Amino acid sequence: MITWSSRSVVAQRVLYGVRIAFGFILLLFCDAVMRLRKVDQEKHKTRLVDEHALCQMRVQQFYAQRNTYLTGITMFLGLILISTHSLIAQLVSGEGAAEAGSTPRVTTSGPGSSKAENERLKGQLADARKELDELKKKDRDMETLKKQADSSHKEYMRLADECEGLRKKLGAASESKKDA
């Protein structure tokens, strides 16, 4: 669905329509701001005593503020919609480029290019085998190190138990000397 929306002609036309509507809403926003400033200036210039005229002035101010907020929020949401679509389109194009770069390409466009390609692939295969041998050697070394660490741990535990036993004997012997 995301791929379709980033590549579809219909989606592109809808986005074009959204941009035109965004421009129209921008004009409405500018008009609402100018009307709000005009109402505020009239409010400060005139001193109204009549309740009906004062109420009318407040209603005009309310409508001007309402239109300003509505068009401002609509513009903000339109910007979010446009930027989200462009980010998704960039993401999809980036994934497409990554997929295209990860697949190996076999080119046989010129004379001798297949021999050169074969030699290059043989070289890569030899390098990969050397690396595999090195990794196997490191794995064997790691296993040997683990065995050595395990045997050292067992020997330490044996010596610790022996030491504890000797301490108990020594403690028992010293208590028997104190009793005597």
Side-chain angles (χ1 to χ4, degrees):
M1 179 72 182
I2 293 174
T3 313
W4 173 83
S5 69
S6 67
R7 295 181 182 158
S8 172
V9 175
V10 174
Q12 296 297 326
R13 287 184 181 168
V14 168
L15 186 63
Y16 182 71
V18 167
R19 287 183 179 158
I20 290 173
F22 180 76
F24 181 68
I25 292 170
L26 179 65
L27 289 174
L28 289 176
F29 180 74
C30 291
D31 180 56
V33 168
M34 288 180 3
R35 187 173 307 255
L36 182 62
R37 289 183 64 185
K38 181 180 174 184
V39 167
D40 282 341
Q41 286 174 357
E42 285 180 16
K43 179 180 171 186
H44 292 296
K45 283 182 182 178
T46 59
R47 297 280 179 210
L48 298 176
V49 183
D50 186 20
E51 284 293 321
H52 181 68
L54 184 62
C55 187
Q56 185 67 26
M57 181 67 71
R58 287 184 180 161
V59 166
Q60 286 178 355
Q61 184 180 15
F62 169 75
Y63 285 145
Q65 288 175 349
R66 180 201 63 181
N67 290 342
T68 304
Y69 290 131
L70 285 176
T71 55
I73 290 171
T74 305
M75 273 190 350
F76 179 71
L77 293 176
L79 281 174
I80 289 175
L81 182 67
I82 290 171
S83 63
T84 303
H85 182 269
S86 66
L87 286 174
I88 289 173
Q90 288 175 357
L91 178 71
V92 169
S93 68
E95 286 176 355
E99 288 175 3
S102 66
T103 57
R105 295 181 186 170
V106 177
T107 58
T108 57
S109 60
S113 65
S114 61
K115 288 182 183 179
E117 185 72 19
N118 285 339
E119 292 300 319
R120 186 183 63 83
L121 290 175
K122 285 180 183 178
Q124 286 179 351
L125 181 61
D127 292 341
R129 285 184 180 162
K130 286 179 186 177
E131 188 176 337
L132 180 64
D133 290 339
E134 290 175 10
L135 290 174
K136 284 182 181 179
K137 184 181 179 216
K138 286 182 181 179
D139 192 38
R140 279 183 268 145
D141 291 344
M142 184 61 74
E143 289 298 321
T144 305
L145 187 62
K146 283 182 182 179
K147 288 178 184 177
Q148 288 176 353
D150 189 43
S151 65
S152 295
H153 176 70
K154 286 180 182 177
E155 181 66 19
Y156 175 80
M157 294 306 291
R158 185 189 66 78
L159 289 174
D161 290 341
E162 185 179 323
C163 181
E164 186 66 30
L166 289 174
R167 283 186 183 162
K168 285 182 182 178
K169 284 182 184 178
L170 184 64
S174 68
E175 284 184 17
S176 64
K177 285 184 182 179
K178 286 183 183 178
D179 289 340

